[in-house]
Amino acid sequence: MKKIQVVIERRTDEAKDVVSLVLRRPDGENLPAFSPGAHIDLFLPNGMTRQYSLIGDCGDCDETDRYEIAVSKAANSRGGSLCVHVALNEGNALEISEPRNNFPLQPGHDTFQFIAGGIGITPILSMIRHCERRGWPWRLLYLARSRAHAAFHGELSAFGPDRVRFHFDDEAGFLFDFAHTSFIVESGVPIYCCGPAPVMKAVEDFALSHPDNPAFFEWFSPPVESGPGGVATGFDIRLQRSGQVLHVPEDRTILDVLEEHGYALPCSCREGMCRTCETGVIDGVPDHRDYVLSGGERAAGRTMMICVSRAKSPMLVLDV
């Protein structure tokens, strides 16, 4: 994975427990272009790697003299967001990856319903700025614990209540109810949603009962109630380039087994969320357990996330 050297030019407190960082190359050269919904890997000084959505400038992502990200300090942080909040300051040097996009705006639509929960506003804000530049109609439902926790509240409020609806749990006294008659999405309008797992699950349920509204999601973490897929069983993998055959037991992942045999493959989240470990499938039937592949990609079976996905066939031949 190609790494890019950047410096933190500006750090801003955007909301309670939310900071934004503006990143530039030390030499001032442009960074790679990206599209709304894209993210980068941040290689943190504590050795961790975390993914954060890019916030497009003025909705036009070809202005790439800088990147902006926003990071919420998680209450149960495993060290990633806490490191950003405590250890990163203006002037610090960092390494990042090139942008990747698992959450792009799909072609064929020019009207959008956006739903953001908490820090899930970051990819959505990039999409909103993109739509504004092109004159495309959109609406946003923004859910947050409180007004103080709502990042970019000022910018979004300026669009007016006809386009931006806020729901703050502490002021309302309850969580938002997607089944309430006040929440209406016109037939045919796609839904783009990013936020914590409970919000995503509620929007998934809404979309299932509204098949005329295609829904697209950016998951920050897997659903709490269960992981994707069913019972794990063992299987074999053959590595196309060397011909080596390895067994993947029921309690290990493909990535685990490859690492145990000396293969250093790109990986990050190890939860099927980021697409870093995507690997080509030459033969066999994958058992997809990730959260990033499209329905068409799953059906084709030519690629898989080896950190979580398994096999439906006795053997997989991988492009490794």
Side-chain angles (χ1 to χ4, degrees):
M1 180 187 299
K2 181 179 179 180
K3 294 184 178 180
I4 302 172
Q5 301 288 330
V6 296
V7 174
I8 301 174
E9 179 185 69
R10 187 173 71 247
R11 170 180 164 140
T12 305
D13 292 327
E14 297 291 350
K16 182 177 176 59
D17 293 331
V18 178
V19 297
S20 67
L21 303 177
V22 173
L23 312 173
R24 290 185 184 267
R25 289 187 190 267
D27 58 9
E29 292 295 314
N30 279 345
L31 293 155
F34 65 96
S35 56
H39 69 274
I40 55 171
D41 291 343
L42 204 64
F43 301 100
L44 297 169
N46 64 1
M48 291 185 168
T49 303
R50 290 293 183 265
Q51 293 76 42
Y52 297 110
S53 297
L54 290 169
I55 305 170
D57 182 32
C58 301
D60 213 348
C61 301
D62 57 7
E63 297 181 15
T64 51
D65 59 323
R66 63 197 177 279
Y67 286 163
E68 182 180 3
I69 61 173
V71 181
S72 174
K73 184 169 67 176
N76 57 346
S77 173
R78 292 177 294 175
S81 65
L82 184 62
C83 179
V84 172
H85 278 254
V86 173
L88 298 187
N89 294 291
E90 293 178 359
N92 289 162
L94 286 173
E95 289 185 324
I96 63 172
S97 71
E98 294 184 327
R100 300 192 302 277
N101 200 339
N102 302 330
F103 188 45
L105 289 173
Q106 299 297 319
H109 298 103
D110 57 9
T111 301
F112 302 90
Q113 172 68 57
F114 299 121
I115 301 173
I119 198 59
I121 191 61
T122 51
I124 298 298
L125 180 57
S126 185
M127 293 176 174
I128 287 172
R129 291 174 174 176
H130 184 82
C131 289
E132 279 295 286
R133 178 65 72 92
R134 284 151 183 78
W136 292 345
W138 57 269
R139 292 181 185 275
L140 168 68
L141 172 62
Y142 188 7
L143 314 175
R145 284 180 288 165
S146 70
R147 194 176 299 268
H149 286 90
F152 308 103
H153 179 267
E155 177 178 350
L156 293 166
S157 295
F159 290 116
D162 289 343
R163 289 199 284 174
V164 178
R165 177 179 180 179
F166 294 101
H167 176 93
F168 304 120
D169 296 340
D170 63 341
E171 295 179 17
F174 52 84
L175 300 178
F176 187 82
D177 181 5
F178 286 92
H180 195 274
T181 55
S182 65
F183 181 65
I184 300 172
V185 183
E186 294 182 9
S187 178
V189 173
I191 298 170
Y192 287 78
C193 179
C194 184
V199 171
M200 305 282 274
K201 182 62 171 61
V203 176
E204 271 194 327
D205 291 343
F206 176 88
L208 286 173
S209 62
H210 295 78
D212 290 337
N213 300 112
F216 306 95
F217 300 90
E218 172 89 316
W219 292 85
F220 284 160
S221 61
V224 175
E225 64 272 15
S226 65
V231 176
T233 58
F235 57 94
D236 292 330
I237 56 173
R238 181 160 63 84
L239 310 184
Q240 176 72 5
R241 300 173 200 175
S242 66
Q244 185 177 12
V245 175
L246 302 172
H247 182 69
V248 181
E250 61 184 25
D251 61 343
R252 307 295 286 167
T253 68
I254 298 173
L255 180 61
D256 291 336
V257 170
L258 288 172
E259 289 178 334
E260 288 166 2
H261 286 81
Y263 291 88
L265 299 174
C267 65
S268 180
C269 72
R270 294 180 180 268
E271 295 180 317
M273 312 293 301
C274 70
R275 209 162 184 151
T276 303
C277 69
E278 183 172 7
T279 300
V281 178
I282 306 297
D283 195 19
V285 182
D287 179 6
H288 296 294
R289 303 189 178 197
D290 65 90
Y291 295 88
V292 293
L293 287 178
S294 68
E297 289 171 319
R298 287 171 179 266
R302 306 324 302 167
T303 186
M304 68 186 299
M305 306 306 135
I306 59 173
C307 66
V308 293
S309 295
R310 304 188 66 80
K312 293 182 178 179
S313 55
M315 177 177 286
L316 291 175
V317 181
L318 301 179
D319 186 15
V320 175

